[in-house]
Amino acid sequence: MHELAPVSPFIALAYLVAGVLFILALRGLSSPATSRRGNRMGMAGMAIAVATTLYTHDVVSLPEILGAIVVGGGIGFIIARRIAMTDMPQLVAAFHSLVGLAAVFVGAAAYLNPGAFGILDPLTDEIHNASRVEMGLGVAIGAITFSGSIIAFLKLNGNMSGKPIMLPGRHLINLGTLAAILGLIAYFVTDQSPWIFWTVTALSFVIGFLLIIPIGGADMPVVVSMLNSYSGWAAAAMGFTLGNSAMIITGALVGSSGAILSYIMCKAMNRSFISVIAGGFGAESGPSGGGAAAVDRPYKRGSAEDAAFLMKQADSVIIVPGYGMAVSQAQHALREMGDLLKKEGVSVKYAIHPVAGRMPGHMNVLLAEANVPYDEVFELEDINSEFGQADVAFVIGANDVTNPAAKTDKTSPIYGMPILDVANAKSVLFVKRSMGGAGYAGVDNEVFYMDNTMMLLADAKKMVEEIVKGLAH
Amino acid sequence: MDFISILSIFVLACFVGYYVVWSVTPALHTPLMAVTNAISSVIIVGALVASAEAGSIAAKILGLLAVVFASVNIFGGFAVTERMLAMYKKKERK
């Protein structure tokens, strides 16, 4: 009963169907129109995988298992219904940590009861060599995913400062720990004693923690994507242990998905993946090559009425939202402003920078939540040329992604990063809490001091609500 | 299954993943993360094996805990994805 190898072809087929349904789930996301059907396919795939597993094993503890599913499922469902859309990055980080922990527990269970997983060599009664490596890697990746995601969650949720925490000699410590983990997994092949297994697990928890603490808030989109990728590789490693095609296909899908998202995020910041992982970005504060300090340069300050008047007269307005919009929950007021402008015959579009917000696509979800039609929302490369014809660029809660220093100033830390060319619009309205704080990169933004820029200094939501009032009469 | 067939599935699935994920529209990258998170909880298969089989009590408890965690993710992940996707609407044409 324990040997999994000679599975009936129908069972293998069921897992394959589940894997294909998962592929179709991601495929559905190629457009919002097909996305919900895709999500349903994902659910069907999961149902098939779970049902097949229960069906093919001598389940001696069905009530406990069903109880566990009901408890976990209930918690998950309630969280999913209640979570605010602005908190999505934290939620995803928390979910990643659960996948990681589940992988660690499954790996540990496989180590404690290898017979159940069919990974025992019948001749020697020891765990297969290949399985030891797969198990070790699965547990290590799972543990890194877990502790890394916990730190990412604490930083995103504001329980921990978004500032990088730099330990002295951290590169040496990290590389040493990684080498120790890999060395122990290799040694595990020759000696399957418990201390090796548990040391690998413990060290992996530690390294996950160490890897994420030096990474600053602005790099979180990369971190969240990277941890997404890790959770996939952990599932794939466990899939190897179990010889299960659904797990392997899913693991590969999720692994490559997270890797591609990390790549897109890095490219959008013109940073290398290595430099993000090395951490420390945004640690040194103050103007680092971005011109003089913000306080002593002249800028034009406007009121909500000025802004309302200016936009009413415009033919076209492009709105550039950033993380500040999410923080002040200004998306609903913003949509109202857009509606009023459209009533006045103004063309309204939204321009999204790939790294706006704290996770890939964060701004799009918030705008969708506020009922902004998705065909009014454009990606950087699709809209950037339109700023030249736009009357008003309305920047709300974004900063670094509009900074021309990324193009002109070779010494700037954000040099080379693709930006939204808001400076090309006839006028720029810049909603910002105060002139003090520069962006996450700690660089001053030339756009503030241009002749055609009006600074709207207030909380984003309050300012937009004031503008809505100004537009209404 | 022997190692080479498993490896073949894995390598081919990586390629499928690569092309499928590049075809995802950037506007849906947050739902993509939520749904990949839900499906990576297919690790529940391993958790079910551990909690179903007789043998080790410790393994069974670990398995059941992993079932709870994975279930949080599966139900939470799919539900939150569904909630997000329901919000994406096209412009109403009059």
Side-chain angles (χ1 to χ4, degrees):
Chain A
M1 93 181 199
H2 284 328
E3 203 53 38
L4 279 179
V7 275
S8 120
F10 290 107
I11 293 161
L13 201 63
Y15 283 126
L16 184 63
V17 169
V20 170
L21 284 168
F22 290 146
I23 296 174
L24 292 174
L26 298 198
R27 179 74 193 131
L29 291 174
S30 59
S31 113
T34 55
S35 57
R36 294 182 79 183
R37 195 173 61 214
N39 196 34
R40 306 264 159 78
M41 290 193 182
M43 294 181 201
M46 190 60 75
I48 291 176
V50 171
T52 309
T53 312
L54 288 178
Y55 176 73
T56 48
H57 287 269
D58 294 329
V59 180
V60 289
S61 49
L62 194 60
E64 290 100 310
I65 291 177
L66 292 180
I69 294 180
V70 169
V71 169
I75 296 172
F77 197 70
I78 292 170
I79 294 174
R81 292 301 290 272
R82 296 218 174 139
I83 190 87
M85 283 298 144
T86 35
D87 294 339
M88 204 49 73
Q90 293 93 299
L91 179 75
V92 167
F95 278 172
H96 287 156
S97 74
L98 290 179
V99 180
L101 197 57
V104 173
F105 282 12
V106 172
Y111 178 69
L112 294 171
N113 190 8
F117 287 77
I119 51 175
L120 273 186
D121 194 319
L123 296 176
T124 57
D125 213 32
E126 287 201 322
I127 302 173
H128 286 304
N129 283 350
S131 302
R132 292 185 203 180
V133 175
E134 293 155 7
M135 217 157 66
L137 285 176
V139 166
I141 303 171
I144 293 172
T145 311
F146 172 73
S147 50
S149 299
I150 292 288
I151 301 299
F153 171 83
L154 293 175
K155 287 194 172 194
L156 288 164
N157 206 32
N159 307 93
M160 203 172 145
S161 154
K163 286 228 176 76
I165 299 167
M166 320 278 270
L167 295 178
R170 65 206 152 84
H171 294 313
L172 215 61
I173 301 175
N174 289 352
L175 288 176
T177 317
L178 273 181
I181 292 170
L182 290 175
L184 282 172
I185 292 175
Y187 186 61
F188 195 45
V189 173
T190 57
D191 176 1
Q192 55 163 319
S193 26
W195 74 268
I196 301 175
F197 184 83
W198 299 116
T199 311
V200 166
T201 313
L203 283 178
S204 304
F205 279 125
V206 172
I207 189 81
F209 173 80
L210 291 176
L211 278 175
I212 308 301
I213 52 166
I215 303 182
D219 283 340
M220 275 303 141
V222 182
V223 170
V224 176
S225 315
M226 184 185 79
L227 292 167
N228 184 18
S229 181
Y230 288 177
S231 70
W233 303 128
M238 287 300 150
F240 272 93
T241 310
L242 285 163
N244 182 299
S245 59
M247 285 170 84
I248 293 169
I249 293 175
T250 316
L253 285 179
V254 178
S256 30
S257 168
I260 290 173
L261 290 177
S262 317
Y263 169 78
I264 295 175
M265 295 299 115
C266 285
K267 221 179 133 208
M269 298 192 291
N270 192 38
R271 316 255 327 269
S272 76
F273 189 66
I274 300 290
S275 80
V276 172
I277 296 307
F281 193 63
E284 61 277 14
S285 52
S288 36
V295 273
D296 45 18
R297 292 183 64 186
Y299 62 91
K300 249 193 303 190
R301 185 172 177 174
S303 68
E305 289 78 50
D306 301 335
F309 179 78
L310 194 67
M311 285 195 281
K312 232 178 195 175
Q313 307 302 315
D315 284 327
S316 59
V317 173
I318 300 178
I319 298 172
V320 180
Y323 184 57
M325 179 195 80
V327 172
S328 81
Q329 301 263 22
Q331 65 271 31
H332 299 278
L334 196 63
R335 197 256 312 150
E336 227 179 299
M337 184 185 97
D339 285 352
L340 287 170
L341 286 172
K342 278 191 273 178
K343 253 189 220 148
E344 301 282 334
V346 183
S347 132
V348 178
K349 286 177 179 172
Y350 296 80
I352 312 273
H353 192 278
V355 290
R358 280 292 183 268
M359 73 184 293
H362 193 189
M363 291 298 121
N364 302 78
V365 171
L366 294 180
L367 292 176
E369 185 200 12
N371 273 322
V372 173
Y374 63 80
D375 35 8
E376 287 177 8
V377 183
F378 297 88
E379 302 303 320
L380 177 128
E381 60 268 32
D382 297 327
I383 197 161
N384 225 2
S385 59
E386 291 185 32
F387 280 105
Q389 288 96 53
D391 294 312
V392 177
F394 186 85
V395 185
I396 172 164
N399 184 0
D400 292 335
V401 298
T402 66
N403 195 339
K407 283 189 172 165
T408 52
D409 182 1
K410 281 202 171 131
T411 61
S412 170
I414 57 170
Y415 181 73
M417 172 171 128
I419 57 156
L420 288 159
D421 297 320
V422 293
N424 293 351
K426 283 202 194 81
S427 23
V428 181
L429 295 173
F430 216 111
V431 183
K432 203 170 175 297
R433 192 175 280 278
S434 69
M435 287 306 281
Y440 292 104
V443 205
D444 207 8
N445 191 340
E446 275 310 306
V447 174
F448 301 159
Y449 314 107
M450 294 190 324
D451 285 337
N452 57 342
T453 300
M454 194 174 2
M455 298 302 295
L456 305 170
L457 299 179
D459 172 71
K461 188 177 174 189
K462 278 208 192 97
M463 176 52 74
V464 177
E465 281 169 351
E466 291 287 311
I467 296 174
V468 167
K469 267 188 226 153
L471 285 170
H473 56 251
Chain B
M1 264 191 285
D2 62 300
F3 184 74
I4 290 302
S5 7
I6 296 181
L7 190 65
S8 319
I9 295 177
F10 178 71
V11 172
L12 292 176
C14 284
F15 278 95
V16 171
Y18 180 84
Y19 288 105
V20 169
V21 171
W22 274 115
S23 79
V24 172
T25 169
L28 292 177
H29 275 163
T30 297
L32 171 69
M33 296 195 91
V35 84
T36 48
N37 190 58
I39 65 174
S40 62
S41 303
V42 73
I43 201 153
I44 195 173
V45 166
L48 289 172
V49 172
S51 39
E53 298 270 345
S56 153
I57 290 294
K60 178 167 275 185
I61 292 171
L62 287 173
L64 282 171
L65 283 174
V67 171
V68 174
F69 297 145
S71 303
V72 172
N73 250 340
I74 292 171
F75 284 81
F78 281 126
V80 86
T81 309
E82 190 74 15
R83 204 178 127 203
M84 279 192 271
L85 293 177
M87 300 186 311
Y88 283 81
K89 289 187 196 84
K90 247 190 145 119
K91 213 182 308 193
E92 286 166 42
R93 312 252 173 230
K94 289 166 205 161

